[in-house]
Amino acid sequence: MQDALIKIEKKYNGRVVVKKFAFPLSEATFGATEAVLCVKSSGKRKIMSGLIYKNQGKWKNNRYPESLWKSYAKKSGADLTRWEKCIKQKDSSKRIKKSRDLGLGLGVRVTPTFFIGEIKMEGSRSIGQLKRVIERNVLKLNERARK
């Protein structure tokens, strides 16, 4: 899904903005989100996010996934001392809760959920499905607004 969103942003070159919000549905995904947000460098955070996503089968049902997340933080090149301090102090918890509350307020029940214009789409989608909705709805609205 990550790759599809990157391709969408590139294809529409600024006419479509992809915004991602944390919406953890369990304690494990809440912790994984914290693990990602505690990587402070955006480039390294992308690597960390990819590792978390790619390896979710390993940590998702693990009672103690923290050591796995730490290994991913190390692989991403994060400053481990800073990362561990952030995890221990729960620096990102408030931000994650705020994001989750926003999602609940918008009626999000599953991940991923996409909002394209005023259309809500739940569940994974192909690039083709996303493009069709974008082109039918958002880009036409933008064209009308310019006229």
Side-chain angles (χ1 to χ4, degrees), residues 4-50:
L5 296 176
I6 291 167
K7 288 177 183 175
I8 292 283
E9 277 190 306
K10 284 181 182 174
K11 176 176 175 42
Y12 296 107
N13 193 26
R15 296 181 299 159
V16 171
V17 177
V18 175
K19 287 235 173 218
K20 295 191 288 185
F21 293 89
F23 192 71
L25 296 169
S26 68
E27 270 187 60
T29 55
F30 193 98
T33 304
E34 276 187 305
V36 170
L37 293 178
C38 282
V39 175
K40 299 303 181 184
S41 161
S42 65
K44 293 174 182 174
R45 184 180 293 155
K46 281 185 177 184
I47 295 168
M48 178 67 166
S49 180

Side-chain angles (χ1 to χ4, degrees), residues 5 25 30 32-33 35 65 68 70 74 77 85 89-90 95 101 107 111 118 120 125 129 132 134 139:
L5 296 176
L25 296 169
F30 193 98
T33 304
L68 287 170
K70 183 177 178 179
K74 185 176 182 178
K85 182 179 177 187
Q89 294 178 346
K90 304 272 186 207
R95 180 176 167 191
D101 290 347
T111 60
E118 297 197 11
K120 179 172 131 181
R125 302 294 179 172
Q129 289 172 312
R132 278 191 295 281
I134 289 167
L139 297 180

Side-chain angles (χ1 to χ4, degrees), residues 40-147:
K40 299 303 181 184
S41 161
S42 65
K44 293 174 182 174
R45 184 180 293 155
K46 281 185 177 184
I47 295 168
M48 178 67 166
S49 180
L51 289 167
I52 291 282
Y53 183 75
K54 180 177 146 190
N55 294 294
Q56 62 185 315
K58 293 178 182 175
W59 58 261
K60 192 170 150 184
N61 295 315
N62 187 323
R63 287 179 54 119
Y64 305 102
E66 295 81 8
S67 61
L68 287 170
W69 297 333
K70 183 177 178 179
S71 74
Y72 306 151
K74 185 176 182 178
K75 282 182 189 176
S76 76
D79 177 332
L80 285 183
T81 303
R82 204 170 160 197
W83 182 85
E84 287 175 320
K85 182 179 177 187
C86 175
I87 291 291
K88 186 176 182 178
Q89 294 178 346
K90 304 272 186 207
D91 289 351
S92 301
S93 292
K94 191 182 284 186
R95 180 176 167 191
I96 297 166
K97 287 176 185 172
K98 186 176 179 180
S99 179
R100 185 176 56 194
D101 290 347
L102 173 65
L104 290 170
L106 292 169
V108 174
R109 299 182 318 243
V110 299
T111 60
T113 297
F114 301 94
F115 292 92
I116 300 174
E118 297 197 11
I119 295 171
K120 179 172 131 181
M121 298 171 65
E122 295 180 331
S124 291
R125 302 294 179 172
S126 70
I127 293 176
Q129 289 172 312
L130 295 172
K131 284 179 185 176
R132 278 191 295 281
V133 173
I134 289 167
E135 289 171 4
R136 267 193 248 137
N137 298 284
V138 178
L139 297 180
K140 285 183 182 177
L141 290 174
N142 289 343
E143 287 172 17
R144 285 185 201 143
R146 284 189 208 132
K147 289 181 181 179

